[in-house]
């Protein structure tokens, strides 16, 4: 199993802390005065409408940058207004985007997000099949400029090749998976930090028992496995054991979109902080990073989408208040 802190310490001094490779999106967010678990009427009026940057890896990059880390993102956008808006928003969050691929004659990925009255959400996504990021678009020199690679399965071949090169170059490999897809098993086997959604282990393994599925997933990864359960916290899987770690109660729930992405980003930032501070207790540092990530995710709920991602001072203040 990878020694997370040792890996991060060996890469200290590189120009960037985090390289994100994967999904970006333009999100059309509608807040509606209804519960999404109930049948929707034929017509209803939204109480608010926002157009925001989204996509799980791009959002994690923005969240990590707000937490004070040096971040670059590689993905693909169309040569349209949506793509330009996405890049401008990432630049405003101090995310470096020079290597993002601009695809001529292609539309940028979009998502329609309904946000219910209790903060729950439902997503309808649309992706142009011509939107692509070839594996050779992420050169090894770019990978070697960073300490952590964070990727998803939006461009499967590119993620697997980038993860392979990242491991060869001494990076820590973090992955975000919410549903199985092509090359999922290959990417899991390359990961140092495998953070997945609640249903993913059972969907991947075919095991109906959630704990047994989480343990089986852990056997397939070279690194640490965390299974997120939203407001119920997360599971830290070690060998054949599953440890339940609680979540924080959000101070306000406006929208839960991007909470998971914020958790991923803050978890990486927490581990980087521990390594840079000279910490050597792997288990204690991982639990502390999970606590930091849980706080950041709780704070994100206060606003719509990526706009709610907190900065470091806000997370630190929230944790001080929680300690009382």
């Amino acid at each position: 199993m990878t020694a997370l802190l040792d890996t991060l310490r060996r890469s200290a001094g590189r120009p960037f802390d985090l390289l994100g490779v994967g999904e970006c999106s333009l999100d059309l967010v509608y807040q509606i005065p209804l519960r999404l678990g109930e049948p929707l009427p034929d017509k209803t009026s939204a109480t608010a409408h926002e157009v925001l940057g989204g996509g799980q890896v791009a959002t994690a990059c923005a969240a990590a940058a707000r937490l004070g880390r040096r971040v670059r993102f590689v993905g693909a956008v169309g040569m349209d207004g949506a793509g330009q808006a996405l890049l401008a928003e990432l630049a405003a969050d101090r995310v470096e985007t020079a290597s993002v691929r601009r695809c001529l004659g292609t539309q940028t990925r979009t998502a329609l997000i309904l946000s219910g009255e209790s903060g729950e959400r439902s997503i309808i996504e649309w992706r142009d099949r011509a939107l692509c990021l070839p594996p050779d678009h992420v050169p090894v020199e770019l990978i070697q400029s960073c300490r952590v690679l964070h990727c998803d399965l939006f461009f499967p071949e590119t993620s697997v090749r980038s993860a392979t090169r990242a491991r060869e170059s001494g990076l820590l490999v973090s992955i975000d998976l919410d549903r199985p897809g092509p090359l999922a098993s290959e990417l899991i086997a390359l990961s140092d930090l495998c953070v997945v959604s609640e249903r993913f282990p059972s969907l991947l393994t075919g095991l109906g028992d959630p704990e047994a599925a989480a343990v089986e997933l852990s056997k397939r990864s070279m690194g640490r496995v965390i299974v997120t359960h939203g407001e119920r916290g997360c599971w830290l899987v070690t060998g054949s054991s599953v440890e339940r770690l609680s979540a924080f109660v959000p101070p306000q729930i406006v929208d839960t979109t991007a909470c998971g992405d914020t958790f991923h980003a803050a978890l990486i930032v927490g581990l980087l902080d521990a390594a840079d501070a000279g910490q050597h207790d792997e288990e204690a540092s991982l639990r502390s990073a999970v606590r930091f990530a849980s706080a950041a995710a709780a704070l994100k709920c206060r606003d719509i989408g990526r706009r709610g991602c907190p900065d470091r001072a806000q997370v630190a203040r929230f944790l001080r208040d929680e300690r009382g």
Side-chain angles (χ1 to χ4, degrees):
M1 183 174 292
T2 304
L4 303 176
L5 299 184
D6 286 346
T7 300
L8 293 173
R9 271 191 289 271
R10 286 194 294 267
S11 63
R14 295 185 182 183
F16 289 89
D17 297 303
L18 174 64
L19 167 63
V21 175
E23 181 188 75
C24 64
S25 172
L26 189 72
D27 290 350
L28 311 177
V29 185
Y30 290 83
Q31 286 186 286
I32 57 175
L34 301 168
R35 292 185 178 275
L36 295 183
E38 301 172 357
L40 296 178
D42 292 338
K43 186 176 182 179
T44 190
S45 295
T47 57
H49 171 225
E50 300 283 350
V51 180
L52 299 169
Q56 56 191 37
V57 171
T59 297
C61 286
R66 291 190 193 180
L67 291 169
R69 287 295 176 170
R70 303 159 298 171
V71 182
R72 67 193 323 170
F73 170 73
V74 182
V77 298
M79 296 288 283
D80 53 12
Q84 298 309 307
L86 282 175
L87 296 180
E89 187 173 314
L90 287 169
D93 277 318
R94 302 182 306 282
V95 176
E96 195 270 343
T97 60
S99 296
V100 170
R101 187 169 190 260
R102 282 77 164 175
C103 301
L104 186 64
T106 304
Q107 291 181 298
T108 300
R109 185 218 190 240
T110 58
L112 172 64
I113 301 177
L114 299 181
S115 179
E117 62 182 5
S118 299
E120 71 278 17
R121 50 64 184 286
S122 182
I123 301 174
I124 302 172
E125 62 177 352
W126 184 86
R127 173 184 176 180
D128 191 327
R129 291 183 179 274
L131 191 70
C132 62
L133 186 70
D136 60 2
H137 190 81
V138 188
V140 67
E141 294 80 12
L142 187 146
I143 291 171
Q144 291 173 344
S145 70
C146 304
R147 303 175 68 187
V148 179
L149 170 71
H150 181 61
C151 55
D152 57 15
L153 280 172
F154 198 69
F155 303 108
E157 294 83 3
T158 306
S159 289
V160 168
R161 183 167 179 177
S162 296
T164 300
R165 288 179 165 181
R167 291 194 66 87
E168 295 169 350
S169 302
L171 278 73
L172 186 146
V173 177
S174 165
I175 62 173
D176 177 0
L177 304 178
D178 56 6
R179 53 192 172 187
L183 302 182
S185 295
E186 288 84 346
L187 192 58
I188 290 167
L190 291 165
S191 68
D192 300 305
L193 194 60
C194 177
V195 183
V196 301
S197 60
E198 179 177 356
R199 293 179 295 173
F200 181 87
S202 291
L203 291 173
L204 180 75
T205 65
L207 297 174
D209 180 80
E211 287 196 26
V215 170
E216 175 60 28
L217 173 61
S218 180
K219 293 177 183 178
R220 303 183 186 188
S221 173
M222 296 179 64
R224 304 306 298 262
V225 169
I226 295 174
V227 182
T228 59
H229 290 261
E231 72 277 5
R232 291 179 285 117
C234 65
W235 291 355
L236 177 59
V237 187
T238 304
S240 60
S241 68
V242 174
E243 179 182 357
R244 293 164 175 78
L245 302 176
S246 60
F248 288 102
V249 177
Q252 181 183 9
I253 300 180
V254 173
D255 177 39
T256 59
T257 308
C259 285
D261 307 327
T262 302
F263 181 94
H264 280 83
L267 179 66
I268 293 168
V269 170
L271 289 171
L272 284 163
D273 290 348
D276 292 346
Q279 300 295 325
H280 291 278
D281 189 328
E282 187 96 358
E283 297 303 320
S285 295
L286 181 57
R287 284 163 179 75
S288 178
V290 168
R291 188 171 187 271
F292 182 79
S294 298
L299 288 173
K300 206 270 16 127
C301 294
R302 299 174 302 172
D303 209 340
I304 295 176
R306 186 190 296 171
R307 196 170 65 192
C309 296
D311 60 30
R312 184 180 290 271
Q314 290 170 327
V315 178
R317 184 164 54 250
F318 178 80
L319 288 171
R320 285 197 301 270
D321 292 343
E322 285 293 319
R323 282 193 290 265

